[in-house]
Amino acid sequence: MLRSKILSTGMYVPPNLFKNNDIAAMMDTSDEWIRQRTGIEQRYWVDENTSTSDLGVEAANRALKNAGIDKSEIDMIIVATLSPDHEFPGTACFVQKKLGLPGIAALDIRQQCTGFIYSLSIADQFIRSGTYKKILIVGAEVHSKGMDKTTRGRDVAVLFGDGAGAVVLGATVVKDAKTDSHILSTHIHADGTFADELWTQAPGTGNGKDRINEQDLLELRQYPKMNGKTVFVHAVKRMPETLLNALQVNSLTPEDIDLFVFHQANLRINDMIAKQFNIPEEKVFNTIQKYANTTAATIPIGLDEAVRAGKLKKGMLVASAAFGSGFTWGSAIYRW
Ligand code: UT7
């Protein structure tokens, strides 16, 4: 059967490291608060000359190199981001330009923390249908340029890091589903009822006469706002729900999964899921301590780190789940 598989991974974070104590020097917070509430110890933030597509291209080049393929083999580029280079055109077009791949399809996905799962799902459909053979998926974010880095914005500013992860997805003919690498299934969801529980209001055409005006700036509508408790409550409900669904669809139990690479919004969320499913600590690969929440980049960064750490090896069964703004959530199961 014709399926897709992850051929390679790559990641990139900018060089500027900010430990929790560096953040505490900018606003009223502490290393203790951040660690206890989230598990985050540090994050990387870009300098003023670096954009989301710059990070994305670095990760993409590493993934292309690791796949051992020439970039001319790529049929489509998908970029998942909530922090685009510009309002339009999509960041995938800037990544495409910088990679030097004119002519192929370039698509932006705006599904925030679930962006990578949505991208994987879309790419998987294009490959299963026989339309494309190789698709480059990039998750990339520059949060640091869009957050209120004062005490006013501390509930959000301490949580997010910049970075990019990429995978090359390729067509494969699966002969033995129990051993051959492939995506078993993807599951994507959203509930826009909660769209303004975690959002950036301006600029936008939903703001009356102007997409952004002085009043918006005075009222700080250009910065993300989050109702953290509501997001938390829904995350610990939806992530297990979609993970369970993915397992059931494939007639699998949590014990069958060799490695869980979840989205990284809060270590407490992932610990709660692990407890609920009785997953031993060593089977959950967390990166939030090092990179904080990098939204759409998080899962591909996790996959690349896991490969390089020797934790993710050929033949292993992997499960991912994510939850984020929208609300959006989703899961995927794949044999590495
Ligand atoms: O990836 C996108 C999805 N995002 C998420 O999944 C995030 C989900 N939410 C969370 O992870 C948690 O709600 C947070 C980590 C964001 C917050 O943790 P919390 O335990 O819900 O804290 P809280 O918002 O209830 O705030 C507790 C206290 C408040 O002070 P008072 O009112 O109790 O005096 C806040 O003002 O902590 C204060 N606070 C801070 N203190 C120091 C909020 N942010 C900070 C901070 N440093 N950075």
Side-chain angles (χ1 to χ4, degrees):
M1 58 186 177
L2 180 61
R3 287 289 180 265
S4 74
K5 71 169 179 178
I6 297 177
L7 299 176
S8 67
T9 60
M11 67 163 280
Y12 179 75
V13 289
N16 306 329
L17 173 64
F18 290 82
K19 293 195 166 278
N20 288 346
N21 280 329
D22 299 321
I23 306 297
M26 299 176 192
M27 61 189 85
D28 182 14
T29 189
S30 65
D31 178 43
E32 194 194 5
W33 192 96
I34 302 171
R35 270 178 206 257
Q36 276 182 3
R37 301 282 174 138
T38 70
I40 296 166
E41 295 169 17
Q42 58 177 51
R43 77 285 291 137
Y44 295 85
W45 283 347
V46 294
D47 61 30
E48 63 184 40
N49 299 315
T50 305
S51 70
T52 299
S53 67
D54 290 333
L55 300 184
V57 166
E58 291 287 343
N61 277 328
R62 285 163 171 77
L64 287 167
K65 187 165 175 251
N66 292 337
I69 60 163
D70 190 81
K71 63 183 182 182
S72 62
E73 289 182 49
I74 298 295
D75 301 307
M76 181 187 202
I77 301 169
I78 301 180
V79 175
T81 187
L82 65 70
S83 48
D85 281 20
H86 301 283
E87 286 272 299
F88 74 88
T91 304
C93 291
F94 292 99
V95 167
Q96 182 186 45
K97 177 180 165 184
K98 289 173 186 173
L99 285 176
L101 283 173
I104 62 170
L107 174 70
D108 271 39
I109 296 297
R110 298 288 305 269
Q111 302 316 116
Q112 302 69 245
C113 298
T114 320
F116 180 75
I117 302 279
Y118 266 78
S119 304
L120 195 67
S121 186
I122 291 164
D124 183 47
Q125 312 307 321
F126 271 113
I127 288 177
R128 278 183 189 224
S129 69
T131 306
Y132 293 133
K133 289 199 169 58
K134 289 191 179 68
I135 299 178
L136 173 67
I137 304 175
V138 178
E141 302 288 359
V142 170
H143 286 294
S144 59
K145 292 189 186 186
M147 300 189 296
D148 181 0
K149 294 197 219 93
T150 68
T151 300
R152 263 178 339 213
R154 67 180 180 175
D155 61 324
V156 171
V158 303
L159 303 177
F160 293 96
D162 302 338
V167 305
V168 177
L169 203 68
T172 184
V173 175
V174 174
K175 295 197 182 86
D176 183 350
K178 289 212 159 24
T179 54
D180 294 354
S181 304
H182 69 291
I183 310 278
L184 278 68
S185 66
T186 58
H187 309 268
I188 50 178
H189 307 272
D191 185 352
T193 315
F194 301 97
D196 56 6
E197 295 290 340
L198 172 50
W199 69 330
T200 299
Q201 190 178 346
T205 57
N207 295 324
K209 191 163 150 282
D210 303 306
R211 284 162 61 255
I212 189 160
N213 59 36
E214 262 174 46
Q215 196 58 30
D216 290 327
L217 293 172
L218 283 173
E219 293 184 21
L220 308 173
R221 293 192 187 114
Q222 72 277 28
Y223 294 128
K225 298 272 177 324
M226 176 171 73
N227 185 346
K229 283 209 188 319
T230 303
V231 178
F232 194 101
V233 166
H234 285 262
V236 296
K237 176 171 176 256
R238 295 305 196 179
M239 280 173 72
E241 185 182 278
T242 186
L243 182 60
L244 185 63
N245 176 237
L247 291 168
Q248 284 173 346
V249 163
N250 293 291
S251 305
L252 294 167
T253 67
E255 291 74 40
D256 294 319
I257 302 295
D258 298 301
L259 197 69
F260 294 85
V261 183
F262 296 134
H263 176 58
Q264 308 278 306
N266 189 323
L267 207 51
R268 287 189 292 147
I269 295 177
N270 292 357
D271 285 348
M272 283 171 84
I273 300 168
K275 208 166 155 199
Q276 202 173 324
F277 284 88
N278 244 330
I279 306 168
E281 212 178 294
E282 63 276 12
K283 278 194 177 185
V284 184
F285 193 78
N286 287 314
T287 53
I288 193 167
Q289 301 92 329
K290 281 166 78 175
Y291 303 119
N293 182 353
T294 55
T295 316
T298 303
I299 292 178
I301 284 178
L303 294 175
D304 189 65
E305 284 259 313
V307 169
R308 284 184 293 110
K311 300 255 180 192
L312 183 46
K313 299 193 188 101
K314 195 167 163 29
M316 286 172 87
L317 206 50
V318 187
S320 289
F323 179 88
S325 158
F327 290 150
T328 55
W329 64 99
S331 57
I333 298 196
Y334 32 108
R335 191 172 295 284
W336 203 251

